[in-house]
Amino acid sequence: MKDGVYRNTCPRNCFGTCGILSYVKNGRLMKVTGDPKHGYSKGRLCAKGYASTQFVYNTQRLKYPMIQSPRGSGNWKRISWDEAYSIIAGKIIELNQRYGSNLASGYNKFSGNLGFLHYAVEGMFNSIGPHTKPVGNPCALTGKLAVNQAFGHNFSSNPEDMSDTNLIVIWGANPAVTNVHQMKFIYEARRSGAKFIVIDPIFTRTAEKADVYIQINPGTDAWLAFGIAKILIEKGIDDEESIREQTIGWDQYKHYIHHQIDLSDVSKRTGVPMEAMEVLAEFYGNLKPAVTWNGLGIQRNDRGSYSISAINNLVAMTGNLSYPNSGLYYMHFDIDHFPQLLFNHQGPVHPNITKSREIDISNFSKYALALTEPPLKFLWVASRNIITQDQNLKSWHQLFNQLELIVTVDLYLTKTAKHSDIVLPAASHFEEEDLNVGYWHYWLSINQKSIPPYYEAKSDLQIARELTKKLNELSPGFSNFPFEKEPIDWIKEELTPEIMRQYSLTSYEDLLEGPHKKIEIAHSMSDSEKFRLLPSKETVTEQLQSENLKKPLTYRLLTPQTLLKIHSQYELVPWLNQEQTEDIIELSSTAAIQHGIDENTKIEIYNQHGSIIGTAKINPTLPNQVVLASQAGNNPINQLITQTDDKGANGSSTFFYDSMVNIRKWREKNV
């Protein structure tokens, strides 16, 4: 690689998708800065971005392919890439011969490394014909479906416009930790006089900076939105005829609010005083333009769809879908407008099987265990760390015992990798080429290969090219993956004439000069569009009445993101982990008194699925019924998270925040 400055894009599952300038000397990454030509991140990075050199040159990064025997023993042996490919290809071919198809082979991949070329995993499996694959989105699907139901399509306003609004209502999001670049637009609006409201069960870093903080009981967001709507309707809606024209179902919605919503009941359920509801209603009624941000957290329970819909309704009825610089924020899915040629690669036709076998990713292990004819026997894991992220870990361990070969591709020997037979070292984003589009902002950017691979690390695309070639060497015609195509070929093919027009590109080379923004964004609803309100006793009230009243345990377990990690990513980077926080369990002052717990003592939180030991931190701002714990770490909190029914199957996010626990002092057991 030549010395110089390269353009990279952070591919982590983050709102920023930041532009990076990488400074390379003698083939080594010397430092990184933000790319000032990126109109959203504007030359800034978060702490994780600035720690990129430690992330890339970490002594704990995987250097070579390795095999472990027996599985879980820690008895690792270095092998060559050709040996790894031969073992993996041999197993896939043998399973095909045993069962007459590739349905016994599958993968589990999600969002640890975003970018068009990381769809090489999907393309690789597509290239062998019908197989077993995950579908869905454990993080955001509930909210996406609710937004689509309301608008008939994907909708999320332009985040830079937030600086020119008069009211910002953030509902269940914490951008001071999870979306730091958005804070500058919030601050710009506040300097111009905008009011800033945060609604959250937790007094977050973002809430600390708000004009008004409203603490709400977890999972009751729909009730609060309906309560605000009732206050506004009772006071009289300005230009009600326009709202009736712009929406579908206004009269039914108004009737539902009037007859089914009782404000004293709303206050009791949400924990929000009437005075606070009056203040929020006054802001929504009088301040225009206003923006509302639906956070991912509010849709991670079995009432999330109703919460998102109720908040959407509130935005629509206050006219904040048509004012300039007003809007509704969730996240967008503009990646679906690209051809996604790797993801959609068409494999060979099977004589008897028409399509791949799909499993809901939110409950993958449970459904995989139920598969027969054939059972799942081979699993490829990429861009995720199952053992620290997924729920239902007991069923995952059962599935691991059933599998004959587990392959994990990662930069580090994660907990999931330690449960694998073969681990393959993945390239960092500085060691590969890619194309990236954000899911919060609307900027498209290139990722250049700026440094040589770390030892023998390879990109997902390079692995797909080489493994499919090995499959065809051992069994001619087994895969139809176009392994001769280079990364730049895939990137250029994503830039169709329509995409080029939307992003004002004349050629691929334009992206080498800087990121480009989409020119057509749904800032507001068009005159021809109608918003679909969701008012129905059958679809709302009955669902809301349940509210986990039958849960036997006392405390709701919340596990929000932290500032210096994304799940388990970056937990081995020294700059970001100077303070030990992973074993901290936060509880309210009331809960501490009830259980006789002092600050910094060891406690145990537990439910029917297991227990976690940690150090107590008494948080006087925490609701009495909430316990907070960090994700990932040495003793992952997701051991206590499970989804026992099928409410989330094939149509929702994972209900991480429905998990209930109890608390007790920890007493060391006699050995």
Side-chain angles (χ1 to χ4, degrees):
M1 307 296 297
K2 295 181 179 179
D3 291 353
V5 181
Y6 292 82
R7 278 205 154 79
N8 290 100
T9 306
C10 183
R12 300 292 167 250
N13 186 3
C14 171
F15 291 93
T17 318
C18 300
I20 299 173
L21 294 181
S22 304
Y23 295 78
V24 176
K25 185 175 182 180
N26 297 325
R28 188 173 178 87
L29 182 67
M30 304 305 294
K31 71 171 183 176
V32 297
T33 64
D35 185 349
K37 291 189 176 181
H38 195 291
Y40 180 71
S41 53
K42 294 188 174 182
R44 300 292 182 90
L45 300 175
C46 71
K48 298 183 290 292
Y50 287 119
S52 292
T53 53
Q54 284 205 336
F55 183 77
V56 170
Y57 299 118
N58 193 306
T59 57
Q60 297 190 62
R61 267 194 72 180
L62 292 171
K63 300 176 181 178
Y64 314 104
M66 297 191 297
I67 190 168
Q68 177 179 214
S69 181
R71 186 189 301 162
S73 65
N75 183 26
W76 292 99
K77 181 179 75 171
R78 176 183 172 183
I79 58 176
S80 68
W81 274 100
D82 189 67
E83 288 176 294
Y85 290 144
S86 295
I87 294 169
I88 297 165
K91 172 54 68 175
I92 294 173
I93 293 168
E94 186 273 321
L95 290 172
N96 177 278
Q97 294 170 345
R98 190 193 313 175
Y99 294 111
S101 76
N102 288 312
L103 293 181
S105 296
Y107 66 92
N108 189 287
K109 170 183 176 284
F110 192 53
S111 61
N113 228 347
L114 299 176
F116 286 95
L117 270 58
H118 283 278
Y119 284 135
V121 174
E122 288 88 338
M124 177 177 71
F125 276 88
N126 289 343
S127 79
I128 62 175
H131 54 280
T132 297
K133 62 190 293 185
V135 293
N137 186 318
C139 292
L141 183 58
T142 295
K144 177 184 180 182
L145 295 176
V147 170
N148 288 349
Q149 182 184 34
F151 293 92
H153 58 82
N154 170 49
F155 187 98
S156 188
S157 298
N158 178 36
E160 292 99 302
D161 289 348
M162 200 176 286
S163 61
D164 295 315
T165 193
N166 288 324
L167 173 64
I168 300 170
V169 181
I170 296 185
W171 208 310
N174 185 15
V177 168
T178 62
N179 191 353
V180 295
H181 297 303
Q182 191 61 36
M183 294 303 293
K184 62 179 172 287
F185 301 107
I186 293 172
Y187 292 147
E188 287 177 19
R190 294 193 73 194
R191 284 193 290 269
S192 298
K195 292 295 184 181
F196 181 31
I197 318 298
V198 172
I199 305 167
D200 202 296
I202 312 304
F203 187 58
T204 62
R205 293 192 183 186
T206 306
E208 293 174 4
K209 306 176 190 310
D211 295 301
V212 176
Y213 165 59
I214 297 176
Q215 189 166 58
I216 184 172
N217 292 333
T220 64
D221 306 273
W223 284 111
L224 181 58
F226 287 140
I228 303 306
K230 186 175 182 74
I231 295 172
L232 290 169
I233 289 172
E234 288 181 346
K235 290 186 175 181
I237 299 294
D238 294 335
D239 199 9
E240 185 173 338
E241 190 58 37
S242 294
I243 295 174
R244 184 176 284 106
E245 292 175 356
Q246 294 169 2
T247 62
I248 297 172
W250 168 250
D251 290 326
Q252 297 94 322
Y253 173 75
K254 186 177 177 181
H255 182 270
Y256 168 78
I257 294 294
H258 180 72
H259 291 282
Q260 298 295 329
I261 301 302
D262 177 80
L263 291 177
S264 61
D265 186 41
V266 169
S267 181
K268 179 180 177 181
R269 290 177 179 274
T270 62
V272 177
M274 277 296 303
E275 293 86 350
M277 288 194 284
E278 292 281 357
V279 168
L280 186 54
E282 181 181 353
F283 283 144
Y284 264 121
N286 297 325
L287 293 180
K288 303 289 189 299
V291 300
T292 301
W293 182 342
N294 277 322
L296 294 175
I298 61 177
Q299 46 96 67
R300 288 181 178 160
N301 57 68
D302 66 1
R303 295 158 314 286
S305 175
Y306 300 96
S307 295
I308 295 284
S309 295
I311 296 167
N312 292 349
N313 292 348
L314 183 60
V315 173
M317 65 170 283
T318 54
N320 281 302
L321 293 176
S322 54
Y323 285 101
N325 300 315
S326 66
L328 182 67
Y329 292 84
Y330 178 60
M331 59 187 292
H332 68 76
F333 297 84
D334 272 15
I335 191 171
D336 293 340
H337 299 161
F338 288 76
Q340 300 179 76
L341 295 172
L342 279 163
F343 181 84
N344 293 311
H345 176 74
Q346 295 297 308
V349 176
H350 190 278
N352 302 316
I353 302 171
T354 58
K355 64 178 183 178
S356 292
R357 190 165 58 178
E358 297 180 346
I359 302 178
D360 176 29
I361 194 170
S362 292
N363 232 331
F364 187 94
S365 56
K366 174 184 174 181
Y367 295 123
L369 282 168
L371 296 176
T372 59
E373 298 182 359
L376 186 65
K377 291 294 183 181
F378 167 77
L379 186 66
W380 184 281
V381 181
S383 290
R384 69 188 318 235
N385 186 1
I386 291 167
I387 299 299
T388 65
Q389 287 181 282
D390 264 33
Q391 55 176 339
N392 297 343
L393 285 189
K394 290 182 180 178
S395 63
W396 266 111
H397 288 299
Q398 292 173 5
L399 180 60
F400 286 159
N401 290 335
Q402 171 185 298
L403 294 167
E404 296 177 7
L405 186 64
I406 304 172
V407 177
T408 293
V409 184
D410 211 303
L411 286 85
Y412 292 88
L413 191 64
T414 64
K415 285 182 170 55
T416 304
K418 291 176 181 178
H419 283 78
S420 306
D421 300 291
I422 293 176
V423 294
L424 303 176
S428 73
H429 51 290
F430 300 98
E431 301 155 15
E432 62 184 7
E433 294 169 287
D434 213 335
L435 182 70
N436 298 79
V437 62
Y439 57 70
W440 177 252
H441 59 68
Y442 289 87
W443 290 82
L444 176 70
S445 56
I446 199 72
N447 184 72
Q448 293 181 282
K449 184 176 181 179
S450 52
I451 57 174
Y454 184 75
Y455 289 83
E456 293 186 9
K458 295 180 185 289
S459 68
D460 281 339
L461 179 57
Q462 190 63 24
I463 293 170
R465 296 172 70 188
E466 294 172 356
L467 179 56
T468 53
K469 190 173 182 180
K470 175 60 71 173
L471 282 166
N472 287 338
E473 287 176 6
L474 299 179
S475 179
F478 196 89
S479 163
N480 70 356
F481 191 85
F483 52 78
E484 71 284 351
K485 289 175 66 173
E486 297 292 335
I488 190 61
D489 300 324
W490 291 104
I491 290 173
K492 288 181 177 179
E493 289 180 6
E494 291 294 328
L495 302 176
T496 63
E498 177 59 19
I499 293 295
M500 298 273 279
R501 184 193 68 79
Q502 288 182 10
Y503 288 90
S504 302
L505 297 172
T506 58
S507 69
Y508 153 78
E509 284 75 15
D510 289 346
L511 290 173
L512 299 177
E513 300 301 318
H516 277 237
K517 186 177 182 179
K518 188 178 181 182
I519 58 175
E520 297 172 2
I521 303 171
H523 296 269
S524 59
M525 292 190 67
S526 67
D527 294 336
S528 62
E529 291 181 304
K530 285 184 178 292
F531 180 92
R532 296 163 181 82
L533 292 159
L534 178 71
S536 168
K537 179 179 179 180
E538 291 74 23
T539 58
V540 179
T541 306
E542 291 179 4
Q543 173 69 16
L544 291 176
Q545 295 294 347
S546 64
E547 295 194 351
N548 290 312
L549 295 179
K550 296 181 180 179
K551 296 279 186 179
L553 298 172
T554 306
Y555 300 95
R556 184 178 300 274
L557 174 63
L558 299 184
T559 57
Q561 291 283 3
T562 55
L563 180 64
L564 302 180
K565 290 182 286 193
I566 302 177
H567 302 296
S568 61
Q569 295 194 71
Y570 300 99
E571 66 181 358
L572 297 177
V573 176
W575 285 356
L576 305 177
N577 293 276
Q578 296 180 14
E579 296 183 8
Q580 186 67 22
T581 60
E582 66 182 38
D583 295 326
I584 298 295
I585 298 172
E586 295 187 43
L587 68 162
S588 70
S589 302
T590 300
I593 293 171
Q594 288 176 344
H595 295 275
I597 293 170
D598 297 321
E599 182 89 359
N600 295 323
T601 58
K602 279 193 175 182
I603 63 173
E604 189 174 12
I605 56 174
Y606 63 95
N607 58 21
Q608 64 270 37
H609 309 294
S611 65
I612 297 292
I613 298 168
T615 302
K617 178 180 178 181
I618 300 173
N619 183 342
T621 69
L622 203 62
N624 294 339
Q625 74 275 29
V626 170
V627 171
L628 280 187
S630 298
Q631 301 174 18
N634 291 325
N635 201 11
I637 200 69
N638 58 315
Q639 296 173 76
L640 306 185
I641 298 174
T642 189
Q643 194 159 294
T644 56
D645 54 38
D646 293 334
K647 289 181 180 178
N650 300 314
S652 81
S653 313
T654 302
F655 301 148
F656 292 110
Y657 293 167
D658 274 344
S659 298
M660 306 298 289
V661 299
N662 216 322
I663 307 171
R664 60 191 171 207
K665 288 183 178 179
W666 179 75
R667 291 180 174 85
E668 189 171 3
K669 296 180 176 63
N670 294 325
V671 179

